[in-house]
Amino acid sequence: MKLSPFFQKGFCLWFTGLSGAGKSTVSSAVHHTLREHGIANVELLDGDEVRTHLTHGLGFSRADRDTNVLRIGWVCQLLVKHSVPVMTAAISPYRETRNEVRTMVERVGGKGAFIEVFVNASVEECARRDVKGLYAKAMAGEIPQFTGVSDPYEPPEQAEIELNTASESEEESVVKVVRYLDEHAYISGVED
Ligand SMILES: Nc1ncnc2c1ncn2[C@@H]1O[C@H](COP(=O)(O)OP(=O)(O)O)[C@@H](O)[C@H]1O
Ligand SMILES: [Mg+2]
């Protein structure tokens, strides 16, 4: 019997986008799909959960947002160093800070290990969804430093993957991400 073991390379799938754009929805669905296909050790760091543990106590100033993102990034590079695939779903609004994480992850995982996923939905679309009721408050001036309303969001200039969640279904977004991983040999044997 000939076995052809597939060596799992570490990678970091970094979802970025406005609140309500679909980061948690799509990343958890991708996480589920990968686990179903035998990648048992893939980790998902969701922004909301991270802020109650790893980065508890940080606020939403630029400095605190950067610390939040860099701490998540530091955990990502640790995991990637040990060939563990990791996914993150945090707004991560600043381009330069995301690029710092890219450098950290690529230093241990090699070029291509950091995969930026731009979850693109307009402020208007996210406000229409208003999943958590936060846009209504932010637009009424009740939440200072709310990304997209009273705080900046810098979209990626060259994201490896762009999801347009206003025009594509959740399923289509998931397929895009999984297909990218397959095409770049980060996973193998995933069927449509
Ligand atoms: N194509 C899509 N992909 C992902 N989410 C979508 C899509 N279309 C509509 N939605 C909805 O948008 C919302 C996104 O919320 P969530 O994933 O919590 O956003 P985020 O984590 O980016 O703040 C969910 O209510 C989801 O059902
Ligand atoms: Mg979320």
Side-chain angles (χ1 to χ4, degrees):
M1 183 169 67
K2 190 176 184 309
L3 292 177
S4 52
F6 178 75
F7 177 70
Q8 181 63 58
K9 279 191 285 180
F11 59 82
C12 170
L13 264 183
W14 188 282
F15 288 72
T16 173
L18 296 173
S19 175
K23 302 178 298 297
S24 295
T25 305
V26 179
S27 63
S28 68
V30 171
H31 187 242
H32 183 75
T33 302
L34 293 179
R35 289 180 58 84
E36 267 190 336
H37 285 84
I39 301 175
N41 65 341
V42 56
E43 183 57 79
L44 172 60
L45 301 168
D46 192 272
D48 290 338
E49 202 186 344
V50 162
R51 275 188 176 274
T52 67
H53 298 286
L54 183 68
T55 61
H56 181 76
L58 292 177
F60 296 89
S61 65
R62 166 136 203 180
D64 278 7
R65 286 178 186 273
D66 283 348
T67 302
N68 182 45
V69 166
L70 292 172
R71 279 192 203 164
I72 299 170
W74 192 79
V75 173
C76 288
Q77 65 82 29
L78 270 186
L79 293 173
V80 168
K81 187 168 72 177
H82 297 290
S83 304
V84 177
V86 59
M87 312 172 50
T88 69
I91 297 173
S92 41
Y94 295 109
R95 196 177 291 133
E96 188 185 326
T97 318
R98 292 192 304 268
N99 285 337
E100 268 187 64
V101 176
R102 178 186 289 273
T103 303
M104 274 200 284
V105 169
E106 289 190 340
R107 192 176 295 136
V108 294
K111 195 151 174 56
F114 183 83
I115 304 158
E116 196 169 11
V117 184
F118 178 26
V119 186
N120 191 358
S122 66
V123 175
E124 294 70 28
E125 171 66 15
C126 294
R128 195 186 57 74
R129 293 178 187 169
D130 211 359
V131 190
K132 299 177 187 165
L134 296 174
Y135 280 90
K137 286 188 187 159
M139 285 170 165
E142 291 166 22
I143 309 178
Q145 297 184 307
F146 190 81
T147 303
V149 177
S150 43
D151 219 46
Y153 178 76
E154 300 173 355
E157 281 167 345
Q158 285 187 306
E160 278 73 14
I161 305 171
E162 181 172 334
L163 309 175
N164 293 290
T165 63
S167 59
E168 64 198 40
S169 69
E170 179 190 327
E171 181 58 26
E172 285 170 322
S173 296
V174 172
V175 167
K176 259 193 195 176
V177 176
V178 173
R179 190 164 286 156
Y180 181 95
L181 294 174
D182 195 18
E183 282 169 4
H184 290 77
Y186 280 107
I187 55 175
S188 87
V190 173
E191 290 156 21
D192 285 334

